[in-house]
Every structure is written in structure tokens, then in C-alpha cells.
Amino acid sequence: MLSYTSIIYALFFFFLCIVFQIHRWRRCKYPILTDYPIFGMIIPLLWNLPRVHDFITQLLKKQHRNTCEFMGPWFTSMNYLVTSDPINLHHMLSKSFDNYVKGHEYHEIFEAFGDGIFNTDSETWKYNRSLFHSILKIRDFEMFQKKIIQNKLEKSLIPLLDHVQQQGSVVDLQDVFNRFTFDNICSVVLGCDPNCLSIDFPDVACEKAFNQIEEGIFYRHKVPKSVWKLQKWLQIGEEKNMTKACKTYDQFVYANIKSKREELSKCRKNNEMVDLLTTLMKEEKGSQVVMHDDKFLRDVAFNLFVAGRDTITSALTWLFYLIATHPLVEAKILEEIKENFGTINIEKKLGIDELKKLVYLHGAICEALRLFPPIPFERKQAIKGDILPSGHIVNPNTIILFFLYSMGRFEEIWGKDCLEFKPERWISERGGIVHTPSYKFISYNAGPRTCLGKDLSFIQIKMTTIAILSKYCVQVVDGHVPILSHSIVLLMKNGLKVRITKREI
């Protein structure tokens, strides 16, 4: 039987080992993942949490085919296979799509998503996918969204930037985009505008709650399931904040659903394109009226908020940061706008076909998405055992994490200039857009789950970029260095602090 002295010596020796390992991490150029007894590999991960995206990228660069195992603490479910190998992703997302699902644990972690399209598998997912495809891919919806964005640009975004420019004040452009996209998605999905984007920058409870929910979901990835489950049961810490945020969001959405149902009961049917909530309430199949309950509509709204608000905010924020710090790219974008449209006024309505002419701008957007994908990592769970193309064995129920952020930084995928912001890499010799396989450029997912709103997102990003760049110069404040956020969406933790000045025409 071990004496107390032996136990103390053992703990002291273990402590010294950790201190020695930390000293090595500080001196070492590359990260080291040590599998400790009891703690597994969680210690180096937590130590590098402030720079977790770059830590994992450096780690995967050292592994065979950018793939490795991560072993969590004993008696937890934090054992993962981690990969950023494009061929592995192609295998999971396309060739063996049916074997790699979201799974029950994913559904628990992302419970705020409910039974929406991002959180489901099998028949439920297929139904959601078919439903959205029938709506999002019609020309009328495309024009409906474009009209809402144009209206928000003219009446809110440009007046706000004019005010900021006249005041000569510093503004957080990420916060501006957050409010802009939140108002847009509320108008598109719910048919209401909460007016988050105004000169006084009001606090809007639902918008803040939505941000809190996403932070809570990321927290559930950082700690063992038993920890966040206990916090949820006790209603303490992050889980208490998550519960309050979900309640605030649900009250907002359910109130809108109720008012929509009352409105529809009083109005006669018309064929005009309206918000998605109303469209789903009026959906018909043949002579049958399809009745969606309130919970279904709530889950649809939440999933579309993530797809149409956060990802666009992220894309716009990183795009404007990269353009502002690369003057030659900015000059080429402005030259392309001038060549195609002459002097642009915000009131001028650019058609969808006209927006497609902006090849260089399209390339700049793709570059921003490659370097800073809005969703920095994804997860899948294997149903049956399998062997990945990299040779790694996948046991049944294995959870696989794949890091989109890392993929944009691998030389073997993008070349030795992979860390450079070069829109030219997306433009062919003939001046067209270079096609890149979706499993390499995976910002819009790949295979059957490829994002249905890809084209709509490019329209919104291009319209917003043209409206701002043709009127203003955006300058990042001296000394401001973006810090990557800890969330399921890749934003700037410290915002994007800029000054706005009038552009010389």
C-alpha cells in the first residue's frame, strides 16, 4: 500500500514534469501534444487556448496527412480524430456521406439549433434541405433579399457611416456589420426590422442573446461533457448565461410567430414574395396545406440566423480588414468597379448579373473566406468503422474534427504563398473565376450538405462592399491587431476598430 509520502513525491514529480513541459512549449517553435496520465492532451490545449486556431494549424502541419488523434482526460468523451486533409474530407463529406453524421452528442451540444437543418441527420435533414431548396433557389427570393439589403444600405448603413465620418470618431466596423446583418436576416426571415443599426447603437436584447448562445456552444467544446452538463443542471456559469440567452431569443421569435399567424388569419392569400416565416406558414403541396408548428418555425429561424447573419458578418469583417491593409488590392477593386459601372452612387441599383462581372472582387471575397472561414471547424461522427484515405482507422462512433481555418494555411493545398492575401489566385488567364473543388475550399461545406445560400451570400457581400468602398476609405486604427474570437463563428474578439473618411472621386 502506498504511503502518504510516496503519493506526495509522485504528485511533486508529476508537477515538475508539467513545469518542464511548459518550459519546452515556451522555447519550442512548434506545439507539442503530450498524452499525460489522467489529463490526456488537455493541458497543452488549454495552455494554447488564446491562440487555439494557430496552435492546431501548427500541430497538424507536423502530422502525417495533416491528421492526428487527440486524447482527452480519462473518463471523458473528449477523444477525437483531428484532420484537415482535403482527401479525408472528400471521403467523409461526399463518398461516404451516409456514414458520417452529426450524431446525438452534436445535437446535445448544439441544442439551441433545435431540429433545424444544421443539427439533424437522415429524413429530418432531407426534409429541411428540400424545403429550403424550394424557397432559396427561386429568382423571386433572390430579388426579395436584394431589395431588403439595398434598402438597409440606403437608409441605415450609409447614413451611419456618414455620421461617423463627420464626427471623425473611431468605430467598430465588426459591430456595424453585426447590426447590419442582424437587421437584414430579421427582415428576410421574420419580416420585421429590429433597427439594431442606427446612430445611437442601441442595445437589442435578442441580438445580444444570440451572441451569448454561440459563445456558450463554443464553451461546450472546451470542457468535458460532464462539466457543462453539471453546470446546466445547477444553472451556474456559462450554462446559466446560455439558458437566459435562449429564453430571450425564444421570446422574441415566438412573439413574431404569433403575430404572423394572427396577421395571416386576417389577410387573403396573395402570390407576392414575403418573408420566410410567412412563406412557410402558407406552404402548400398540391391541394394540401402544410401546417408547421411553432417549434419547427422557431428552429428554422435560428438556423437561418446563423447561416445568414453570423457568416456574413465574419466574411465582411475579415474582407474589409484585408482590403484596408492591402492598398493595391483596394485599388484594383475600385478600378474594376469603375471599369464596369463608372461612378457608383448608392441609389444606383446593380442587377445580379451585373454583380457577376466583378471577378476581382469575387476573388478577394474567396481569399478572405479561405484565410478566415466563418465556421473555423466542423465535426462529424462515424456510424460504422472505416479507414480514411490517409490510412487512419476510424472506429464506430468516433468523433472527427476537421479544421477549415488550418486548411487555408497549408502549402500543399495552396502553395508557398498560402499565407498571402492574393485575389489573383482565383482568376484564370482568361479572366474568369478559377474553379476550386469544394473539399479544398470548404467555407461553404461540400457534398450533399453544400450551403444552399452560397450565391445569396456573395450578392450581399458584393453589394455591401461596393456601397462602402465607392464612398469611403476604411483605415484600421494604428496599433489595432485583430484577436481571433473563441466562438463557433470566426470573428474578431476585440472588434475591427477603424476610421472612416470620404473617398476622393
Side-chain angles (χ1 to χ4, degrees):
M1 191 172 182
L2 290 174
S3 66
Y4 287 117
T5 304
S6 299
I7 293 172
I8 290 171
Y9 274 126
L11 290 172
F12 179 69
F13 178 74
F14 181 64
F15 174 75
L16 284 179
C17 287
I18 293 177
V19 171
F20 174 71
Q21 187 65 59
I22 289 172
H23 180 67
R24 288 180 66 201
W25 293 334
R26 283 176 170 168
R27 294 183 60 189
C28 189
K29 183 179 178 182
Y30 299 103
I32 300 170
L33 265 190
T34 303
D35 189 3
Y36 290 103
I38 302 177
F39 295 101
M41 299 175 177
I42 197 72
I43 295 173
L45 181 66
L46 293 176
W47 179 259
N48 287 279
L49 201 57
R51 52 181 292 273
V52 65
H53 299 294
D54 291 310
F55 169 72
I56 290 169
T57 300
Q58 290 176 349
L59 174 70
L60 289 173
K61 283 181 178 180
K62 296 180 65 181
Q63 310 302 317
H64 171 64
R65 295 282 293 272
N66 309 127
T67 304
C68 68
E69 286 186 277
F70 176 85
M71 308 302 293
W74 290 359
F75 310 114
T76 71
S77 58
M78 295 183 71
N79 296 341
Y80 307 120
L81 185 63
V82 184
T83 185
S84 286
D85 178 59
I87 307 304
N88 283 345
L89 267 62
H90 183 50
H91 175 81
M92 290 186 291
L93 301 178
S94 297
K95 289 187 176 181
S96 299
F97 173 76
D98 291 336
N99 189 48
Y100 294 92
V101 297
K102 299 287 186 176
H104 176 69
E105 187 173 326
Y106 184 102
H107 197 279
E108 280 190 314
I109 292 174
F110 289 81
E111 65 178 322
F113 284 67
D115 294 319
I117 191 169
F118 291 140
N119 210 22
T120 52
D121 297 301
S122 306
E123 296 306 315
T124 305
W125 169 75
K126 288 179 182 177
Y127 176 77
N128 276 281
R129 177 91 180 176
S130 174
L131 184 63
F132 289 146
H133 188 275
S134 66
I135 297 172
L136 300 182
K137 291 298 182 180
I138 61 174
R139 184 78 171 182
D140 284 352
F141 181 78
E142 206 172 62
M143 299 306 296
F144 171 69
Q145 180 191 250
K146 186 176 176 294
K147 182 179 178 181
I148 285 174
I149 296 165
Q150 184 74 36
N151 182 65
K152 200 67 188 175
L153 287 169
E154 290 179 20
K155 296 183 178 179
S156 297
L157 182 61
I158 297 304
L160 183 142
L161 293 181
D162 270 336
H163 175 76
V164 170
Q165 178 265 321
Q166 289 165 12
Q167 295 292 315
S169 56
V170 172
V171 67
D172 180 356
L173 196 56
Q174 178 173 263
D175 184 34
V176 171
F177 288 145
N178 226 0
R179 294 166 179 275
F180 172 68
T181 56
F182 190 78
D183 285 350
N184 282 337
I185 200 64
C186 281
S187 297
V188 170
V189 176
L190 304 177
C192 73
D193 185 346
N195 290 311
C196 293
L197 187 65
S198 60
I199 291 171
D200 56 347
F201 288 90
D203 280 336
V204 177
C206 181
E207 193 259 347
K208 291 181 70 176
F210 202 79
N211 296 337
Q212 182 63 58
I213 291 169
E214 291 176 338
E215 290 173 12
I217 291 172
F218 186 81
Y219 174 77
R220 291 181 176 184
H221 282 87
K222 295 192 295 185
V223 300
K225 180 179 176 181
S226 56
V227 172
W228 68 260
K229 282 274 190 180
L230 179 62
Q231 288 183 320
K232 182 182 179 184
W233 183 63
L234 295 173
Q235 278 301 287
I236 59 174
E238 286 288 339
E239 288 300 317
K240 180 181 179 180
N241 295 335
M242 170 89 96
T243 300
K244 288 173 64 177
C246 286
K247 184 177 180 181
T248 300
Y249 168 81
D250 286 351
Q251 287 174 342
F252 171 72
V253 173
Y254 281 126
N256 274 277
I257 291 171
K258 182 181 179 182
S259 65
K260 283 291 174 190
R261 290 202 187 281
E262 291 172 353
E263 195 178 303
L264 277 174
S265 67
K266 298 173 185 177
C267 299
R268 287 184 295 177
K269 179 183 174 183
N270 64 69
N271 294 321
E272 184 182 348
M273 186 68 215
V274 288
D275 60 89
L276 278 168
L277 205 66
T278 305
T279 302
L280 290 173
M281 288 179 180
K282 297 194 303 181
E283 189 198 6
E284 297 181 4
K285 286 188 177 179
S287 59
Q288 296 288 320
V289 177
V290 179
M291 295 297 294
H292 296 298
D293 63 23
D294 289 0
K295 172 65 167 55
F296 177 87
L297 296 172
R298 177 262 174 219
D299 293 348
V300 163
F302 191 96
N303 283 255
L304 289 175
F305 270 44
V306 173
R309 181 257 194 173
D310 295 335
T311 56
I312 303 297
T313 295
S314 173
L316 282 169
T317 300
W318 288 109
L319 175 65
F320 271 84
Y321 169 73
L322 290 166
I323 290 174
T325 53
H326 293 77
L328 290 178
V329 172
E330 180 183 39
K332 289 181 180 180
I333 292 172
L334 290 168
E335 184 183 354
E336 182 179 60
I337 293 172
K338 189 175 181 180
E339 283 179 0
N340 282 280
F341 311 122
T343 302
I344 294 292
N345 296 315
I346 185 61
E347 293 80 13
K348 184 174 181 179
K349 309 297 190 291
L350 296 178
I352 292 167
D353 292 333
E354 290 176 296
L355 291 172
K356 291 179 180 177
K357 296 176 182 177
L358 301 174
V359 175
Y360 192 84
L361 175 57
H362 190 98
I365 296 169
C366 290
E367 270 292 86
L369 293 170
R370 177 183 72 83
L371 289 168
F372 299 100
I375 308 298
F377 70 95
E378 264 281 13
R379 60 183 282 159
K380 291 287 186 181
Q381 186 169 3
I383 298 174
K384 300 180 293 184
D386 193 11
I387 299 177
L388 296 179
S390 61
H392 292 82
I393 296 173
V394 177
N395 295 316
N397 299 317
T398 296
I399 294 173
I400 301 169
L401 300 180
F402 51 94
F403 283 82
L404 286 65
Y405 178 88
S406 301
M407 288 183 68
R409 287 161 169 74
F410 289 155
E411 288 186 11
E412 56 266 41
I413 301 176
W414 300 103
K416 291 187 177 181
D417 60 354
C418 61
L419 298 181
E420 296 179 32
F421 177 58
K422 290 180 61 176
E424 290 81 3
R425 80 174 78 242
W426 296 90
I427 303 171
S428 68
E429 292 180 0
R430 295 185 177 182
I433 299 295
V434 171
H435 171 72
T436 303
S438 57
Y439 55 87
K440 285 178 61 180
F441 176 56
I442 200 167
S443 292
Y444 290 96
N445 218 316
R449 282 189 180 264
T450 297
C451 177
L452 288 169
K454 179 179 178 179
D455 294 338
L456 295 174
S457 74
F458 272 101
I459 290 171
Q460 183 168 352
I461 295 168
K462 286 179 181 177
M463 288 178 66
T464 307
T465 304
I466 293 167
I468 295 175
L469 287 185
S470 61
K471 195 172 177 67
Y472 307 104
C473 295
V474 177
Q475 300 166 325
V476 178
V477 172
D478 289 343
H480 179 75
V481 179
I483 299 172
L484 299 179
S485 65
H486 291 171
S487 180
I488 57 172
V489 179
L490 194 64
L491 296 167
M492 296 181 185
K493 186 177 181 180
N494 54 341
L496 178 55
K497 305 298 172 57
V498 302
R499 292 188 185 277
I500 304 292
T501 57
K502 284 278 188 182
R503 184 173 295 286
E504 300 281 340
I505 298 176

